[in-house]
């Protein structure tokens, strides 16, 4: 039975940097990072009384957030509130956005990796990247926007809200008949598509032979939507040491990596992506952030270290 605890999770963002020696401090000078968050661990932790899960949205969380505005499909935007000078709008013509979106109907939406695209009538498109703390949600039509609600689209019966307290997210606007360049300029096929196959993965790994496999898994132009927790889950399942050089993987390990990637993505979409319910109890994620976390298979203590700039957990017995 699916437990719906999104609200609890979103409400409790806990900074554990001071409690956990594996968590590095936030680097300075984060100014215009397009893919924010790499190297910052403090906000990856989202805690509720029963478990710990990654806060930084990856593919499955993004898919869940994308659907939140579905209730507004077919309805017109009748009002709009936005923080025009906020950095989440960097590179977008906010005036154009405001003029064109009012009166437009929300038609559909798509998720691709960690990005979302919302299509509106009148050839208008809104792209959203959640960054680290971005959230998409729905409020009542009389909602009063708060400090971190950078764009609120009012419809007669609801308000569609994008919130981002840390402002690493991004909102992009495009007017035109076709999908915007920044959306179609795809780095790689979706993992959940047929085009993402073993051959493609092998080619990508061949291009990054010197990188630790964990680093390769985090590259959005090879594994779109994979972030820190999914990468660890995949490597644990494939029984590969996260720090192992990509060029050292055997063909059997590459095959295991490919299968584990497909499996973790599929099952995450069926749980988190569907209703924000937990991934299966026997997954690494339930242990990963615990100081005394254990391997779900044989209950040996997990090890933790920084690999590819990210806090990484693995089982020294399963992964070599
Ligand atoms: Zn193990």
């Amino acid at each position: 039975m699916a437990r719906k605890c999104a609200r609890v999770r979103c409400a409790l963002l806990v900074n554990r940097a001071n409690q956990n020696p594996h968590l590095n401090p936030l680097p300075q000078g984060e100014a215009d990072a397009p893919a924010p968050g790499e190297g910052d661990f403090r906000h990856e932790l989202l805690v509720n009384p029963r478990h710990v899960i990654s806060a930084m949205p990856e593919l499955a969380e993004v898919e869940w957030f994308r659907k939140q505005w579905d209730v507004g499909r077919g309805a017109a935007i009748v009002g709009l509130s936005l923080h025009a000078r906020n950095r989440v709008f960097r590179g977008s013509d906010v005036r154009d956005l405001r003029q064109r979106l009012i009166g437009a109907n929300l038609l559909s939406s798509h998720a691709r990796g960690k990005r979302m695209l919302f299509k509106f009538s009148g050839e208008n498109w809104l792209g959203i990247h959640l960054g680290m703390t971005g959230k998409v949600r729905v409020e009542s039509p009389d909602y009063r926007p708060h400090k971190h609600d950078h764009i609120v689209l009012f419809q007669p019966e609801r308000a569609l809200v994008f919130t981002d307290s840390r402002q690493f997210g991004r909102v992009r606007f495009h007017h035109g008949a076709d999908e915007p360049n920044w959306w179609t300029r795809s780095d790689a096929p979706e993992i959940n598509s047929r085009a993402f196959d073993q051959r493609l993965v092998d080619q990508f790994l061949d291009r990054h032979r010197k990188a630790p496999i964990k680093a390769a898994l985090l590259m959005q132009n090879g594994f779109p939507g994979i972030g820190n927790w999914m990468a660890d889950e995949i490597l644990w399942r494939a029984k590969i040491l996260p720090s192992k050089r990509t060029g050292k993987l055997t063909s059997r390990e590459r095959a295991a990596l490919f299968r584990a990637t497909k499996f973790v993505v599929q099952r995450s979409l069926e749980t988190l992506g569907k209703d924000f319910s937990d991934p299966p109890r026997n997954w690494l994620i339930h242990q990963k952030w615990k100081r005394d976390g254990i391997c779900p298979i044989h209950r040996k203590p997990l090890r933790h270290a920084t690999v590819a700039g990210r806090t990484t957990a693995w089982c020294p017995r399963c992964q070599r």
Side-chain angles (χ1 to χ4, degrees), residues 236 295 297-298 300 315 317-318:
W236 173 72
C295 170
I297 293 177
H298 45 60
K300 296 283 180 202
C315 170
R317 185 161 151 184
C318 290

Side-chain angles (χ1 to χ4, degrees), residues 146-200:
H146 293 127
K147 183 178 159 195
H148 297 304
D149 300 329
H150 302 306
I151 185 163
V152 181
L153 305 172
F154 292 96
Q155 295 181 322
E157 294 180 25
R158 68 193 68 80
L160 311 176
V161 183
F162 168 67
T163 301
D164 186 6
S165 59
R166 303 253 304 147
Q167 303 171 27
F168 284 111
R170 189 164 186 184
V171 177
R172 305 181 89 167
F173 176 70
H174 172 72
H175 174 70
D178 300 318
E179 292 181 346
N181 283 337
W182 41 258
W183 177 260
T184 52
R185 192 182 57 219
S186 175
D187 318 300
E190 290 298 289
I191 292 171
N192 206 21
S193 71
R194 274 170 181 268
F196 187 92
D197 58 16
Q198 180 80 58
R199 200 169 132 253
L200 193 96

